[in-house]
Each structure stands twice: as C-alpha cells, then as structure tokens.
Amino acid sequence: MSAQNAQQWFETSLGKYLLAHEQSYFDQAVANIFGYNAIQIGLPQFNFLRSNRMPLQFSAGTDCGASLRAAADFMPIESGSMDLVIMPHVLEFNENPHQILREVHRILIPEGHVVISGFNPLSLWGANRYFKPARSDFPWCGNFIALSRLKDWLKLLDFEMTGGRLCCYTPPFKREKWRAYFNFMEAAGDRWWPISGGVYFLQATKHMHGMHIIKPGWKNALAGKKRIASAAQRFNDNSIEKKLHINGYNQINSDKQ
C-alpha cells in the first residue's frame, strides 16, 4: 500500500466518509482503556489515539510521519511492554498478517488490548473490488480478510473478543449525493444486514494461561525436629568438660552398685 495513494484517497468524499466513522469508533473504543504505553500501527497521518489518556503514545510503520519507522511484522519493541495496540487497516495490506498478529501478541502485556479495523469482503465494498477498472488503487488493492477468519486467528493466539461493530453499509459511491440516496441502509444496517457492513472493528484482550504451584508445608513439618550439625563443633569450654567428667563418674558408681 502506497502511503501517498492512501492519503489521496482519504481526501476524497468517500475517504472522508470512512474516516469520520473510523475516528468516531476509535475515539469511543480507546477512551476508557488505561495503562502506560499505547501504539498505533499504520496510518500515522491520523491520530486514532487522541481520546486515550496513556502517558506514552506513538505510531509505528514504514510510512513517513511514523514515530517509529519499522515493519509491522517485526517490531523493535520489548516483549510485554504495550498496554494498547490499535491497527487501522494494516492486516489487509500486508503479505503476512499472521506474523503481525503474533508480533502484537508478543509486545502486549497480559490482559493488554488490541483494536483492529478492516474492510469486509462480504459487503458491497468487498464486491466493488471486482468491478473496479483500477484494482491497484487504495483501498481496492488490499486482500480483504473476513471477520470470521480474523476471529479464528485471534483465538489461536489466546485472544478473547471483547467488542466490535460494523459500519459503512451504504454502497461505496464516490459522489456524496448518491450515498445520500442510500443513507437508509446505514440506519438499518445493524438490524437487517449486520454482517454486511463495508468496514468492521474488532476489540480483543490478550490472555496468558499459566499455573500456580502449591507446595506442601515442609518447613512447618521440619521445624520441631533436630537437625544434624553441618560442621563439627569444637568443645573448648571447661564447663562442658566438667559435665562430661561428672557424667562418666556417675556412670562408674552406678555400675559398682
């Protein structure tokens, strides 16, 4: 995906329509996620972390404007250091989305959060890709990933789905007046065709499975027992020698009797 191509598309009427929905959802989704470190992977020209209150926020990617210039599938970030990761349209424009999800799982702390947005192939937006004369343009050049498949990938990494929704039910017309004619689809989309939104959002939490070893109370059981000295004791005290002499004398007298 070319950053310039994506930037130009978001400046169109259809791009602004999508951007308004994306910004609204991310603002709501990340506002009440707390922690210390948050990262946005992809689309650094848009601040989708603006409503979050974590002290450290930065963007990462290969596009100009990213705070950290790095590939999404191999992040130079310490494992278990991020509280929140958001990925606006990253997976469908990368050749190895599985590796990106593994990297997200690696850098997240236990119970850390990830918020993902993606284009839905089972929608009018997905069908529109096959009727475009220029399929090399953004966003039709992407490999749209079905929501059900993305959920399966996340479950394999022990993520738990905690939220999500779909939007952009109207056909992806370039002209605003044509989208206005079909605006009723946007209002009724969640009720009548809930899986046919052009864009989906998905929230998930990283879980770590482990065990706590319960040890028996060996220390308490051995506390009252005498232990063998770890080193030989030196008897230099005269009082000890006297006691040994007296005990021996008493033993001899008892034998005579």
Side-chain angles (χ1 to χ4, degrees):
M1 176 182 64
S2 170
Q4 183 177 3
N5 195 355
Q7 179 66 39
Q8 292 176 351
W9 185 84
F10 276 108
E11 293 175 354
T12 65
S13 176
L14 183 60
K16 292 178 180 179
Y17 161 77
L18 172 61
L19 183 60
H21 283 83
E22 297 247 346
Q23 192 73 69
S24 175
Y25 183 85
F26 278 112
D27 286 347
Q28 175 270 329
V30 305
N32 295 320
I33 298 178
F34 302 100
Y36 297 96
N37 306 314
I39 179 174
Q40 173 180 324
I41 302 176
L43 299 181
Q45 62 269 36
F46 307 112
N47 184 11
F48 293 120
L49 286 169
R50 65 183 186 183
S51 68
N52 186 262
R53 289 168 282 180
M54 293 189 192
L56 177 61
Q57 300 179 7
F58 64 100
S59 60
T62 56
D63 300 336
C64 294
S67 305
L68 175 64
R69 296 293 296 273
D73 48 356
F74 290 102
M75 304 290 291
I77 298 176
E78 184 180 359
S79 300
S81 60
M82 293 290 111
D83 299 276
L84 171 63
V85 176
I86 66 172
M87 293 194 296
H89 301 290
V90 173
L91 299 178
E92 60 262 59
F93 298 100
N94 193 285
E95 295 180 356
N96 197 353
H98 306 84
Q99 176 60 27
I100 294 178
L101 292 176
R102 284 192 289 267
E103 278 293 279
V104 170
H105 184 273
R106 182 185 65 82
I107 66 176
L108 274 175
I109 66 169
E111 305 304 318
H113 302 269
V114 59
V115 186
I116 302 171
S117 68
F119 290 104
N120 183 15
L122 305 177
S123 66
L124 293 175
W125 288 63
N128 191 57
R129 297 172 59 231
Y130 300 99
F131 298 99
K132 283 289 181 183
R135 290 186 58 185
S136 60
D137 295 338
F138 183 88
W140 321 116
C141 60
N143 182 22
F144 294 0
I145 301 171
L147 181 58
S148 58
R149 178 176 296 180
L150 178 58
K151 287 182 178 180
D152 290 339
W153 292 351
L154 290 171
K155 287 180 180 178
L156 289 175
L157 291 172
D158 291 328
F159 280 99
E160 179 186 359
M161 312 308 138
T162 57
R165 62 158 298 186
L166 287 91
C167 68
C168 300
Y169 293 94
T170 59
F173 294 121
K174 290 184 178 181
R175 295 187 179 183
E176 185 176 356
K177 71 173 186 178
W178 283 104
R179 292 198 305 275
Y181 291 147
F182 292 88
N183 194 46
F184 69 93
M185 298 178 66
E186 192 69 48
D190 288 334
R191 180 176 180 182
W192 297 109
W193 39 86
I195 63 171
S196 300
V199 174
Y200 57 75
F201 301 94
L202 189 61
Q203 296 175 243
T205 302
K206 171 185 173 180
H207 286 317
M208 293 292 290
H209 299 286
M211 60 181 179
H212 178 70
I213 300 177
I214 301 176
K215 298 181 179 180
W218 291 330
K219 292 183 178 180
N220 295 332
L222 297 175
K225 296 183 178 180
K226 295 182 179 180
R227 300 183 180 180
I228 300 174
S230 57
Q233 297 182 3
R234 297 178 61 186
F235 299 100
N236 296 323
D237 193 348
N238 293 330
S239 61
I240 297 178
E241 294 177 356
K242 291 179 180 179
K243 290 181 180 180
L244 293 174
H245 177 73
I246 293 171
N247 291 336
Y249 177 77
N250 293 335
Q251 182 65 33
I252 294 172
N253 292 336
S254 62
D255 293 339
K256 290 181 178 181
Q257 294 176 358

